[in-house]
């Protein structure tokens, strides 16, 4: 029952986010819609017992990829008028055709009845299993990646600070 | 034993602590540059002592530590000792660059230390994933160091070029690692050669993987035909840090290559041996021929480093028997590179991105000390007897001869003879050519003088009596 409620709630959330992303005129709203859609999908993963995939979905897609998108949007500037004319005349019919194809694919899969929730314990890539590996066998590589983060921030300072001082 | 765990990672922890303390102190207290020096050299010296402890301990109980991520053995300990010495000498040479830039100096010191950590991980790694991480830690720090002088167009070009080509090489290396994993099902360097994989030795996927690993590391040590970036990067980087960039990458790159090829893929030596010989031959020819035409000392040294990558690789064609020759050559060459680029930094300024040969005319009269060091380094790189360069060349040639690569040794001898031309040309400029215009006076710092003296003394000492270092490197073998 909980599963169904969550599915309906966050399914609607994902759909609403996706629609908002496509139709909104302001690119920032589009990005927010995409975040909402990705977050809702992550909740669906949790419901299906795929906790690790859900965490990755949040960290990588809703976190890192979206931050990158937002950087691009900020760099381009939100106040600039968008060129909404379509360069490729085939784009719209092609999108409709591919969308229809995807729908047919989903309907076939659903019709075949192979969609089932997870059985408890059947999931291999659980968070516990990954954490076990990460904090025992792969502890040192995991720690060394922190050095990469330090280098990234130190490097950003080294390369950016010069310009900052130059402009003054 | 748990002790090996701490002893084995001690040097790396010491230098890492140096980075953390330096950055935190700089952010919170903005201390005088003297404090930077205290912290960085303090961490390097304690790392050095811990590496000596590791060397002593590893002789008795070498073993993999951190569940086969690092190797606690003489190979790692010796590599760490040499890398820490090179880093300290590099910092001494680069120190005027650090002090001139009060806003970013501490970051430069931190990046040099971070590079050292990455290189030590590269030397000590017992797992291909660890090799990759060490490679990335060192490479990414080096990309930033290459671009340190932001106002020089050449420096910006060097950083971007190094970053793009270097990332590509890292990707190639990683692809090789993935294929080796696909071929054997393990990433542990010692396990790959294990008996359970005996039937897999010649599978194409494994051979392609080995090839890509050689290409990736060949790029990092600037072996031809993967050397295109080296002249531009070494010329564009600030003169003060170029020596360290070049020497560190050579030591750790060749050490990692030697460990992977000899420990993991000894069974496939018949496949990679000839390939390595071709790369070595190409590096010697390309590096030597192109070095002749250079008019800038930094570019000339960069091409000469390509040729030296070929000489060093010659030691590996015979597999494990050449590792001590490789160590001897790469260590003495690292000192020569630090010395030669140190003189460049003194003559044309630590932040300069060029060093035309005509700046060196009449150096013998202006600064006998620098002229002497530069000439000694040139003689050592050319492989003149009584310098460390001769003993090094002798060792690698013997290793290749014993492996049956006579053609490679003949080619290497010809390349050495041709190389004499451009090394001696520098000495002619320094001592014999007449000055046409008044050159600026040369001033060098005490740290620089100390570093150059150390390098010169070591080069002569290892040349006159190579036996002590040879004894040490014969124990610095991978477990």
């Amino acid at each position: 029952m909980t599963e169904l409620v969550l599915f309906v709630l966050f399914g609607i959330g994902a759909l609403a986010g996706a629609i908002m992303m496509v139709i909104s005129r302001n690119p920032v709203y589009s990005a927010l819609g995409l975040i909402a859609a990705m977050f809702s999908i992550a909740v669906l993963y949790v419901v299906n017992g795929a906790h690790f995939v859900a965490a990755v979905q949040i960290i990588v897609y809703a976190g890192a990829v979206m931050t990158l998108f937002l950087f691009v949007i900020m760099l381009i500037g939100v106040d600039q008028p968008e060129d909404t004319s379509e360069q490729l005349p085939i784009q719209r019919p092609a999108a409709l055709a591919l969308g229809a194809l995807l729908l047919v694919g989903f309907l076939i899969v659903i019709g075949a009845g192979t969609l089932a929730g997870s059985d408890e314990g059947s999931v291999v890539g659980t968070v516990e299993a990954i954490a076990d590996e990460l904090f025992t066998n792969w502890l040192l590589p995991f720690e060394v990646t922190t050095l990469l983060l330090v280098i990234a921030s130190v490097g950003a300072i080294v390369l950016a600070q010069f310009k900052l001082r130059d402009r003054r | 034993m748990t002790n090996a765990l701490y002893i084995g990672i001690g040097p790396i922890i010491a230098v890492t602590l140096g980075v953390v303390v330096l950055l935190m102190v700089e952010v919170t207290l903005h201390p005088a540059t003297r404090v930077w020096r205290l912290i960085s050299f303090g961490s390097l010296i304690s790392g050095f002592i811990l590496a000596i402890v590791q060397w002593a301990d590893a002789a008795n109980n070498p073993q993999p530590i951190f569940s086969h991520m690092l190797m606690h053995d003489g190979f790692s300990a010796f590599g760490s000792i040499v890398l820490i010495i090179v880093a300290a000498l590099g910092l001494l040479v680069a120190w005027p660059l650090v002090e001139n830039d009060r806003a970013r100096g501490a970051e430069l010191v931190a990046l040099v230390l971070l590079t050292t950590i990455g290189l030590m991980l590269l030397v000590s790694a017992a797992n291909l994933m660890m090799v990759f991480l060490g490679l990335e830690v060192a490479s990414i720090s080096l990309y930033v160091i290459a671009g340190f002088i932001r106002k020089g167009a050449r420096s910006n070009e060097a950083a971007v070029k190094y970053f793009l080509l270097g990332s590509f090489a890292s990707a190639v290396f990683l692809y090789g690692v993935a294929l080796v994993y696909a071929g054997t099902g393990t990433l542990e360097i010692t396990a790959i050669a294990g008996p359970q994989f005996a039937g897999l030795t010649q599978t194409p996927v494994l051979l392609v993987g080995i090839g890509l690993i050689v290409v990736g590391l060949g790029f990092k040590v600037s072996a031809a035909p993967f050397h295109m970036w080296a002249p531009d990067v070494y010329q564009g980087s600030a003169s003060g840090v170029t020596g360290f960039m070049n020497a560190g990458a050579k030591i750790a790159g060749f050490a990692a290559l030697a460990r992977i090829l000899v420990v993991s893929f000894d069974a496939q030596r018949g496949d990679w041996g000839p390939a390595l010989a071709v790369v070595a031959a190409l590096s010697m020819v390309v590096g030597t021929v192109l070095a002749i035409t250079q008019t800038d000392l930094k570019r000339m040294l960069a091409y000469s480093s390509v040729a030296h990558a070929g000489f060093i690789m010659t030691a590996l064609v015979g597999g494990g028997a050449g590792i001590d020759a490789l160590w001897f050559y790469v260590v003495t060459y690292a000192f020569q590179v630090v010395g030669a680029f140190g003189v460049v930094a003194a003559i044309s300024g630590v932040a300069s991105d060029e060093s035309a040969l005509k700046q060196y005319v009449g150096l013998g009269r202006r600064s006998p000390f620098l002229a002497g060091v530069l000439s000694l380094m040139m003689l050592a790189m050319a492989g003149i007897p009584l310098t460390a360069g001769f003993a090094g060349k002798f060792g690698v040639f013997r290793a290749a001869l014993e492996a049956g690569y006579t053609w490679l040794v003949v080619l290497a001898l010809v390349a050495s003879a041709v190389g004499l031309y451009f090394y001696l040309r520098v000495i002619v400029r320094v001592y014999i050519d007449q000055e046409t215009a008044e050159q600026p006076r040369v001033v060098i710092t005490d740290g620089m003088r100390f570093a150059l003296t150390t390098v010169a003394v070591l080069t002569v000492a290892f040349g006159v009596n190579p036996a002590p270092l040879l004894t040490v490197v014969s124990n610095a073998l991978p477990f």
Side-chain angles (χ1 to χ4, degrees):
Chain A
M1 189 58 203
T2 340
E3 195 181 330
L4 185 67
V5 172
L6 284 172
F7 175 76
V8 170
L9 273 180
F10 285 94
I12 292 169
L15 276 178
I19 291 169
M20 176 176 162
M21 184 215 139
V22 174
I23 62 169
S24 61
R25 289 254 164 232
N26 190 326
V28 177
Y29 291 157
S30 282
L32 282 176
L34 191 55
I35 292 179
M38 285 171 170
F39 185 79
S40 308
I41 292 172
V43 175
L44 298 186
Y45 288 145
V46 174
V47 171
N48 279 292
H51 297 115
F52 182 69
V53 181
V56 168
Q57 168 87 6
I58 298 274
I59 293 168
V60 176
Y61 285 94
V65 173
M66 281 317 299
T67 313
L68 199 67
F69 281 172
L70 281 174
F71 266 127
V72 173
I73 292 169
M74 297 300 175
L75 282 176
I76 293 170
V78 279
D79 46 351
Q80 285 181 13
E82 282 292 301
D83 181 16
T84 47
S85 64
E86 285 172 32
Q87 303 290 328
L88 294 169
I90 199 166
Q91 215 170 17
R92 198 172 288 240
L96 281 175
L98 287 175
L101 196 66
L102 190 64
L103 188 66
V104 170
F106 278 138
L107 287 178
I108 290 173
V109 172
I110 292 168
T114 48
L115 270 189
S118 69
D119 304 329
E120 278 304 312
S122 72
V123 184
V124 184
T126 61
V127 184
E128 286 87 354
I130 289 164
D132 268 354
E133 281 290 303
L134 199 59
F135 290 103
T136 56
N137 290 336
W138 296 86
L139 176 68
L140 192 66
F142 177 69
E143 298 284 353
V144 169
T145 49
T146 58
L147 283 180
L148 286 171
L149 296 179
V150 173
I151 296 170
S153 46
V154 170
I157 290 169
V158 166
L159 294 180
Q161 201 164 6
F162 179 79
K163 273 199 165 165
L164 202 78
R165 208 180 29 174
D166 217 27
R167 217 175 277 153
R168 265 182 219 150
Chain B
M1 237 179 80
T2 49
N3 269 345
L5 191 75
Y6 300 113
I7 296 171
I9 198 154
I12 294 170
I13 296 275
V15 182
T16 312
L17 264 180
V19 173
V20 175
V21 172
L22 176 67
L23 290 175
M24 291 312 292
V25 167
E26 168 62 12
V27 162
T28 49
L29 301 175
H30 300 287
T33 52
R34 201 178 60 243
V35 178
W36 301 348
R37 194 195 289 250
L38 197 71
I39 295 171
S40 54
F41 282 96
S43 74
L44 283 176
I45 290 169
S46 44
F48 179 77
I49 295 168
L50 288 172
I52 300 273
V53 172
Q54 186 190 0
W55 168 263
D57 186 70
N60 300 324
N61 59 340
Q63 57 187 289
I65 52 175
F66 283 98
S67 34
H68 284 270
M69 287 299 155
L70 291 185
M71 199 54 94
H72 172 55
D73 59 5
F75 192 84
S76 312
F78 182 70
S80 297
I81 291 173
V82 175
L83 284 167
I84 287 174
I85 295 175
V86 166
L89 293 174
L91 265 185
L92 281 177
V93 172
W95 204 258
L97 185 69
V98 173
E99 283 193 333
N100 290 347
D101 202 332
R102 187 64 188 76
R104 303 182 301 155
E107 278 78 7
L108 181 66
V109 178
L111 283 170
V112 169
L113 296 182
L114 282 164
T115 311
T116 313
I117 297 167
L119 297 173
M120 287 197 284
L121 287 171
L122 197 51
V123 169
S124 318
N127 185 302
L128 289 175
M129 196 45 69
M130 213 57 225
V131 175
F132 177 69
L133 274 173
L135 197 68
E136 283 302 274
V137 168
S139 303
I140 294 175
S141 313
L142 284 178
Y143 304 150
V144 183
I145 292 177
F148 185 73
I149 20 174
R150 286 294 309 270
K151 54 175 178 277
R154 278 219 190 86
S155 179
N156 289 341
E157 182 197 336
V160 171
K161 204 172 257 182
Y162 200 16
F163 170 62
L164 290 177
L165 292 177
S167 319
F168 188 66
S170 296
V172 168
F173 177 83
L174 194 57
Y175 192 28
V177 171
L179 287 181
V180 167
Y181 185 69
T184 61
T186 181
L187 287 171
E188 284 171 25
I189 289 178
T190 43
I192 289 172
Q196 67 270 40
F197 303 118
L200 299 164
T201 48
Q202 306 294 331
T203 52
V205 72
L206 192 56
L207 293 182
V208 173
I210 297 172
L212 292 179
I213 287 178
V214 171
V215 170
L217 287 174
F219 173 92
K220 302 289 175 190
V221 298
S222 69
F226 324 110
H227 67 286
M228 308 295 182
W229 57 275
D232 291 340
V233 170
Y234 289 147
Q235 187 187 20
S237 313
S239 299
V241 287
T242 321
F244 169 73
M245 290 171 67
N246 193 342
K250 282 267 191 310
I251 297 171
F254 273 113
L257 191 64
R259 192 197 285 273
I260 293 173
L261 288 181
V262 168
V263 177
S264 299
F265 303 119
D266 202 40
Q268 294 91 339
R269 196 199 307 160
D271 298 302
W272 57 256
L276 222 54
V278 170
V279 172
L282 208 57
S283 304
M284 288 186 284
V285 172
V286 168
T288 307
V289 169
L290 291 179
I292 291 175
T293 59
Q294 302 305 319
T295 55
D296 184 294
L297 186 59
K298 282 176 90 178
R299 282 188 87 81
M300 194 209 92
L301 285 173
Y303 278 114
S304 122
S305 92
V306 175
H308 280 282
F311 288 125
I312 300 168
M313 214 171 252
T314 307
L316 265 186
V317 292
I323 285 193
D324 49 352
L326 177 132
W327 266 134
F328 189 90
Y329 198 116
V330 85
V331 168
T332 52
Y333 176 68
F335 289 142
Q336 292 157 25
V337 159
V338 171
F341 278 110
V343 175
V344 170
I347 300 293
S348 43
V350 278
S352 78
D353 51 9
E354 58 183 11
S355 191
L357 266 177
K358 58 175 180 286
Q359 286 182 326
Y360 294 84
V361 173
L363 183 65
R365 246 166 298 122
R366 278 183 290 149
S367 172
F369 171 70
L370 287 179
V373 173
L374 183 62
S375 306
L376 180 63
M377 295 307 137
M378 291 298 121
L379 291 176
M381 285 187 188
I384 302 290
L386 291 186
T387 61
F390 175 74
K393 281 208 169 60
F394 183 78
V396 297
F397 292 167
R398 195 180 54 187
L401 268 184
E402 278 166 5
Y405 286 90
T406 317
W407 65 271
L408 187 60
V409 176
V410 172
L411 190 75
L413 285 172
V414 173
S416 313
V418 176
L420 262 180
Y421 168 73
F422 59 81
Y423 291 122
L424 291 183
R425 197 178 55 172
V426 175
I427 299 179
V428 169
R429 286 284 165 104
V430 166
Y431 283 112
I432 298 173
D433 284 2
Q434 290 299 315
E435 287 159 277
T436 48
E438 196 61 31
Q439 299 275 9
R441 259 180 58 79
V442 185
V443 274
I444 59 171
T445 60
D446 289 343
M448 217 178 245
R449 186 180 293 274
F450 175 76
L452 292 179
T453 313
T454 311
V455 167
V457 167
L458 287 177
T459 302
V460 174
F462 292 147
V464 173
N465 184 11
L469 183 58
L470 281 174
T471 319
V472 171
V473 293
S474 65
N475 290 319
L477 300 180
F479 173 54

